[in-house]
Amino acid sequence: MRVLVTGGAGFIGGAICERLAARGDEVVVLDSLAAHEKPPERLPDSAELIIGDLADESALRRAVDGVDAVCHQAARVGLGVDFDDVADYVADNDGGTANLLRALWRRSFTGRLVVASSMVVYGEGRYRCAEHGDIRAAPRHRADLDAGRFEPRCPRCGDDLTWAPVPEDAPLDPRNVYAATKVHTEHLSSLYGRESGASVCALRYHNVYGPHMPRDTPYAGVASIFRSAFEAGEAPHVFEDGASTRDFVHVDDVARANLLALDSDWTGACNIASGEPHTVGEMAEALATEFPDAPRPLVTGEYRLGDVRHVVASPDLAAEALGFRASTDFKEGMAAFARDPLR
C-alpha cells in the first residue's frame, strides 16, 4: 500500500512512518520541516520525502499522486501563546486541511483517509451531578478560577460536578482556537468522504507523549514542558491545584492505532486513549521520581482560561471498531519518557 503521511517528519507522524515502513508499505511524507533545525534522522530510508507545506499546490500534487491511503497528521498544535495566534492556527489547520482535500478531490481519490483529531473537541468532558445526574458543564468563570475554585459546577444547583468517561457521541464544544480548528478538520474530512465516496476516520488523540516529542515551547505538550524543567534543574509549574484529569497515551500506541485505522473501513470518530486517567499532578510526580536531584513540582494555582478541567475518554469504541487497546503502562511509559530523545 502506498500511504501519504502529512507531517510525517513530526512527533506522531514519524512514529507512524516507522511502523508503515517496517511492515513493507510504501511511504510518502509531506512535511515543511519548519519545526526542525536539521533534516529529521528518524524517517525510514525507504520513505519519499516531499518538502513543502499544505499551502504548496505543487508539493500537494506530487504528494497525493498514486497514493492508496492518506494519514493526515500535519497541524499546528497546543494552545499557543494567546489569541493573537488565531490566524496562524486557522491557516495551518483549517486551510491546510482544505488544501489537502482539494488536491485529493482533483485526483479523484476514493481511498482511505485517516485524520488526526483531538480530545479537545469535547471542551469540558462528561460530568455528573449527585442530584441532577448527567449534566453539561458550562465554561468556567474567571472569578471562580481567581478564587481557586477549579471544579466545574452544576448550572442548576451550584454543586461541584464529578467527571465521567466521554464517549464519541458527546456534543462537540471547542473552548480554544486549536480545538475549533480540530472540529473543522473533522467536519471538512467527513464532508469530503460523503462527496467523494472515500472512507474517512478521525482519531481523537488524548494527551500523547513519548520519544521525539517537541521540547519546551508554547506548542509542546505538558509532559515535555515538565521534563524540560526537570532537566534544567527547575521545578515544573503545575497549574491550578494539580488535580486536572487527563488520559496520557504513548505515541507508540497512537501510531499503532493509525495503522489499525488505515487497515479498517470503519468510518467515524474514535477516541485514542490509554483508558487509565491520571491527574496532571500525578504525571508531574511520576516524572519527578526519575529526576531525584531536581526540585519537586510546584503547584502554583495559575490557570489558562482556554484549559478544561477534566477530559477523560471512553476507549470502548476504538476497541470495538478498530481492535485498538493501548498497551503502554503509565509508570513504565513515564519512566522511559524521562530519558527518551526529544526534538
Side-chain angles (χ1 to χ4, degrees):
M1 182 165 63
R2 182 175 171 86
V3 184
L4 167 63
V5 183
T6 69
F11 168 44
I12 298 174
I16 294 168
C17 290
E18 288 173 341
R19 281 185 173 264
L20 287 169
R23 73 176 193 179
D25 288 315
E26 188 178 351
V27 180
V28 181
V29 172
L30 176 65
D31 200 299
S32 69
L33 302 186
H36 299 263
E37 295 179 355
K38 59 182 180 179
E41 299 175 353
R42 64 185 303 216
L43 279 180
D45 292 338
S46 60
E48 177 187 352
L49 173 61
I50 299 172
I51 300 175
D53 62 26
L54 293 171
D56 185 335
E57 285 193 36
S58 175
L60 272 172
R61 282 197 302 271
R62 289 174 54 205
V64 302
D65 184 40
V67 298
D68 304 299
V70 177
C71 193
H72 178 33
Q73 304 296 313
R76 183 180 290 260
V77 300
L79 281 182
V81 177
D82 53 35
F83 197 82
D84 194 61
D85 283 334
V86 61
D88 293 331
Y89 272 94
V90 171
D92 287 351
N93 297 356
D94 298 347
T97 298
N99 290 335
L100 171 65
L101 296 175
R102 181 175 61 184
L104 292 172
W105 177 263
R106 289 174 174 175
R107 213 220 85 186
S108 300
F109 175 83
T110 59
R112 182 63 162 165
L113 172 60
V114 175
V115 298
S117 186
S118 170
M119 54 84 176
V120 296
V121 300
Y122 297 120
E124 284 289 351
R126 182 181 173 197
Y127 287 91
R128 288 177 180 150
C129 172
E131 181 177 353
H132 298 106
D134 280 5
I135 204 152
R136 195 141 176 77
R140 296 183 295 170
H141 298 294
R142 192 182 293 274
D144 282 341
L145 298 172
D146 285 339
R149 181 159 189 163
F150 301 117
E151 294 296 336
R153 290 194 272 176
C154 176
R156 296 175 63 183
C157 67
D159 286 349
D160 287 350
L161 300 172
T162 56
W163 65 264
V166 184
E168 286 81 355
D169 60 0
L172 304 185
D173 184 19
R175 299 195 178 183
N176 57 60
V177 171
Y178 171 63
T181 66
K182 280 301 176 181
V183 171
H184 201 199
T185 291
E186 286 196 23
H187 287 172
L188 289 174
S189 300
S190 178
L191 288 169
Y192 177 81
R194 187 180 71 183
E195 294 289 330
S196 68
S199 170
V200 180
C201 177
L203 303 182
R204 293 174 180 165
Y205 304 154
H206 284 246
N207 289 67
V208 187
Y209 72 99
H212 305 289
M213 195 174 186
R215 285 188 179 273
D216 184 4
T217 79
Y219 308 95
V222 65
S224 176
I225 292 171
F226 286 0
R227 179 184 140 169
S228 295
F230 283 128
E231 287 183 325
E234 301 169 356
H237 286 195
V238 181
F239 282 9
E240 301 186 12
D241 57 359
S244 297
T245 313
R246 297 291 189 269
D247 186 304
F248 297 95
V249 58
H250 197 274
V251 68
D252 287 348
D253 286 321
V254 172
R256 182 165 52 84
N258 272 271
L259 267 66
L260 289 169
L262 285 167
D263 293 342
S264 169
D265 59 3
W266 188 86
T267 59
C270 275
N271 292 323
I272 301 301
S274 73
E276 296 182 30
H278 293 273
T279 67
V280 175
E282 288 172 341
M283 186 272 289
E285 290 295 337
L287 278 178
T289 61
E290 306 300 318
F291 295 93
D293 297 329
R296 306 302 296 176
L298 178 64
V299 178
T300 67
E302 297 172 87
Y303 65 86
R304 296 186 298 184
L305 200 59
D307 271 339
V308 296
R309 180 63 171 174
H310 306 293
V311 55
V312 175
S314 167
D316 295 339
L317 181 60
E320 177 185 346
L322 305 179
F324 171 75
R325 287 280 187 189
S327 61
T328 305
D329 175 77
F330 174 77
K331 288 185 178 179
E332 293 176 359
M334 284 295 166
F337 177 65
R339 304 289 178 260
D340 283 334
L342 298 184
R343 192 179 74 218

